[in-house]
Amino acid sequence: MIPFGALAVLAAATPLGANAQAAYPSKPIKIIVPYPPGGAVDVVTRKMAQKLTEQMGQSIIVDNKPGGTGTIGASAAARAEADGYTLMANDTTYSLLPFIFKKLPFDYDKDLVPVSAYVFAPMAMVVNAESPYKTLAEFLAAAKAAPGKLTYGTGGAGTTPHFTAEAFGVASGTKLMHVPFKGAGEATQAVLSNTIDMQFSSTPGVMGNVKGGKLRLLAVSGDKRLVALPAVPTFAEAGVKNFSVVNWTGLWAPKGTPAPVLARLQQEIAKAMATPDMKAFAEGLGAEPRMADAAAFAKMLTDSNVLWGKIAANASFDKQ
């Protein structure tokens, strides 16, 4: 993994690299989102694409390629030409793939390289606004009174919300019934229609419906309350200790993408995340607006692999 600093030095030290960086981009850039429209990754990526379009003077197009818990889109990105014009946006779910698939259609360790991570969001527990559960304590009481009866929806087995629920079950001493859907957006619709009892989601995926009065937010992960909804407690404050899962969104590029191009992308993302409108956008979704460069992002992926490996050992699903 080439650290961000080394990328910048390389780009500045070689005339050819500097020219390549100055010329990029010379045509539209496509960002593959490996999930259906409407989910957290899609929402955040479309905002980032809009900002990068303004900054870079070229159209940044979001291309949804859902399926296979994100592997279809990731595989398409891995096979793309390594020229900086096809990228992939994903979230923490990407770091789960080695634990939920016996074999992936691409090389997880080699085919895609992390560019940067941005928009760090806590995981939220939401119920329908008309749900009888007005607090996390009420939900926990019902779950413990009838183990396996209360349901929660996710965008599929092995997704971040699924692993989050597994971790929550251990931390809270509860057993819930998993109802997988084809995407996080469908799971949200199921909560909205009272088809299921609850959903775990990163805050960007549900904040619109929470603010619109259609969903009730019971608690959020992390060590601090949301700027947008300061009355909502953290899980620790609400009585569930040792439970802290954060969902980040990041960008990847095919292996072999020129170092000056990667450096330019990182610079533009850092510039975008420093703007007042991106900061306000992220905080409005209950997320933290900051940027991690390639080296920091790579370490995050390594740390995530350790965390999810422990949870996967006890998770209630078979490898696909």
Side-chain angles (χ1 to χ4, degrees):
M1 185 63 60
I2 304 176
F4 172 61
L7 289 172
V9 170
L10 177 61
T14 61
L16 180 61
N19 290 336
Q21 186 175 4
Y24 174 84
S26 61
K27 61 181 181 180
I29 298 170
K30 177 172 67 177
I31 301 179
I32 293 174
V33 172
Y35 309 108
V41 179
D42 183 69
V43 170
V44 172
T45 302
R46 289 183 184 278
K47 180 64 176 180
M48 178 60 75
Q50 177 186 349
K51 194 66 179 177
L52 293 181
T53 294
E54 296 171 2
Q55 293 179 182
M56 301 176 77
Q58 283 288 348
S59 297
I60 314 294
I61 303 165
V62 174
D63 183 13
N64 296 90
K65 289 185 179 297
T69 317
T71 59
I72 291 176
S75 182
R79 295 193 303 268
E81 187 173 352
D83 57 5
Y85 290 98
T86 299
L87 308 168
M88 179 191 71
N90 212 323
D91 65 356
T92 308
T93 295
Y94 182 76
S95 64
L96 299 172
L97 296 182
F99 306 106
I100 61 180
F101 288 96
K102 295 176 182 177
K103 185 176 181 180
L104 291 168
F106 63 96
D107 191 322
Y108 177 85
D109 295 313
K110 297 180 179 179
D111 287 351
L112 293 166
V113 295
V115 178
S116 66
Y118 46 88
V119 183
F120 292 70
M123 296 299 290
M125 176 189 281
V126 293
V127 296
N128 188 287
E130 303 300 322
S131 168
Y133 313 118
K134 294 180 172 56
T135 66
L136 180 61
E138 292 176 354
F139 183 90
L140 289 173
K144 291 178 179 180
K149 181 179 179 181
L150 294 187
T151 56
Y152 72 93
T154 72
T159 55
T160 300
H162 182 202
F163 271 54
T164 298
E166 293 284 347
F168 175 79
V170 173
S172 64
T174 58
K175 182 176 177 58
L176 306 172
M177 180 182 295
H178 181 207
V179 182
F181 293 88
K182 293 181 180 179
E186 287 191 12
T188 301
Q189 289 301 315
V191 181
L192 290 169
S193 64
N194 272 320
T195 304
I196 58 175
D197 296 303
M198 179 270 286
Q199 178 190 13
F200 278 107
S201 171
S202 62
T203 50
V206 294
M207 191 57 70
N209 283 309
V210 171
K211 290 183 175 180
K214 296 178 181 179
L215 293 178
R216 179 183 299 135
L217 186 51
L218 298 184
V220 294
S221 65
D223 56 4
K224 57 185 178 182
R225 297 190 179 195
L226 302 180
V227 173
L229 294 172
V232 178
T234 65
F235 281 99
E237 290 174 328
V240 180
K241 310 294 184 181
N242 302 315
F243 175 71
S244 183
V245 178
V246 175
N247 188 69
W248 37 257
T249 302
L251 200 69
W252 283 257
K255 179 184 177 182
T257 299
V261 170
L262 295 176
R264 175 73 190 280
L265 288 167
Q266 290 180 82
Q267 291 165 3
E268 294 294 341
I269 290 171
K271 179 181 176 181
M273 294 312 301
T275 60
D277 59 330
M278 284 299 291
K279 182 176 185 292
F281 167 77
E283 290 181 345
L285 294 175
E288 180 184 359
R290 60 185 171 93
M291 182 264 196
D293 65 21
F297 193 9
K299 185 179 186 303
M300 285 166 48
L301 287 167
T302 299
D303 292 344
S304 292
N305 288 154
V306 174
L307 169 66
W308 298 129
K310 294 177 181 178
I311 295 176
N314 298 313
S316 55
F317 70 94
D318 296 323
K319 272 194 171 186
Q320 300 177 44

